Amino acid sequence: MSARKLADLLKGARIQPAVNQVESHPFLAQARLKAFCDAHGIVLTAYSPLGSPDRPPRLIEDADPAPLHDDVVKGVAAAHGVSPAQVRRLRAAALGRLGCEWWLCLTA
């Protein structure tokens, strides 16, 4: 949910939301939304810290970022003997945004 939608919700909500789950990865960092959530005591969690590699082909564009195929991510993974997915998972965990796809990293 965007900061604007959260602000509208907060105006009339009897119970404040505790968590806001959004897509977040290096190419979609959501920094302003994270700051808004922090300021309002809402935990921001990423539902797609690995990007969206499994979305339908009709929704994929050539210019779309691919966090698991990024040269920097692959270089860090190679330097540490881990997979690119594990690097992405560790970044999400370090930012406190470990989402529901964390288990994918264990087998990637």
Side-chain angles (χ1 to χ4, degrees):
M1 189 175 284
S2 69
R4 179 179 292 166
K5 289 180 181 178
L6 282 171
D8 288 344
L9 177 65
L10 290 170
K11 288 177 188 173
R14 291 185 312 133
I15 300 172
Q16 179 174 322
V19 178
N20 186 24
Q21 189 175 46
V22 297
E23 182 174 357
S24 181
H25 49 73
F27 302 103
L28 186 59
Q30 306 276 19
R32 289 190 307 190
L33 180 57
K34 171 78 166 109
F36 179 90
C37 288
D38 288 348
H40 291 87
I42 301 170
V43 175
L44 184 69
T45 184
Y47 68 75
S48 196
L50 304 179
S52 300
D54 60 344
R55 67 182 180 269
R58 64 184 167 75
L59 298 178
I60 298 174
E61 298 180 16
D62 290 339
D64 286 349
L68 295 179
H69 301 289
D70 181 73
D71 290 338
V72 173
V73 172
K74 291 192 305 188
V76 170
H80 295 281
V82 298
S83 73
Q86 289 169 312
V87 171
R88 298 297 327 117
R89 179 191 176 272
L90 290 173
R91 178 187 178 274
L95 292 174
R97 298 183 189 175
L98 196 54
C100 62
E101 289 185 356
W102 68 269
W103 57 270
L104 292 174
C105 305
L106 300 176
T107 58

